[in-house]
Amino acid sequence: TIYAACAGEVVATANKCTHVDYGKECEHYSTYGNYIKVKHADGTYARYGHLKKDSLKVKKGDKVKKGQAIATMGSSGYSTGKTYFYHFC
């Protein structure tokens, strides 16, 4: 499970990427595959990428709290395996 590192608003998502193909772009022309982009109150952004297909628990416009479950780790888009994300508030 992937948890929001900081509170913020979801400003973009992709959730239907089915492939892992080095260099091939997916939904929204992103090499991140399935992803969530969150804008924080201080104007910074966090992008959670390479998520499992259809695992997103949030959508554009949703407010998220620090520590909230938002998706499941995966390997979509331009990746070579499961990835782990760090972002500090």
Side-chain angles (χ1 to χ4, degrees), residues 12 22 26 31 33 37 49 51 64 66 70 79 86:
Y22 314 117
C26 200
T31 57
K37 184 176 180 182
L51 304 171
V64 296
K66 181 177 180 175
I70 58 173
S79 66
Y86 271 104

Side-chain angles (χ1 to χ4, degrees), residues 8-82:
E9 180 180 350
V10 177
V11 294
T13 64
N15 197 27
K16 298 294 183 190
C17 183
T18 58
H19 71 274
V20 177
D21 187 0
Y22 314 117
K24 184 175 181 183
E25 295 179 342
C26 200
E27 187 178 3
H28 304 296
Y29 306 105
S30 170
T31 57
Y32 285 97
N34 300 310
Y35 70 89
I36 298 169
K37 184 176 180 182
V38 177
K39 183 177 182 182
H40 307 296
D42 66 359
T44 62
Y45 293 86
R47 188 179 301 219
Y48 305 82
H50 311 295
L51 304 171
K52 183 178 177 182
K53 180 181 181 263
D54 293 327
S55 77
L56 277 61
K57 299 175 182 348
V58 296
K59 63 186 180 311
K60 185 176 178 180
D62 286 353
K63 304 287 188 203
V64 296
K65 296 178 182 178
K66 181 177 180 175
Q68 177 180 337
I70 58 173
T72 301
M73 184 185 304
S75 182
S76 60
Y78 183 65
S79 66
T80 58
K82 294 194 190 261

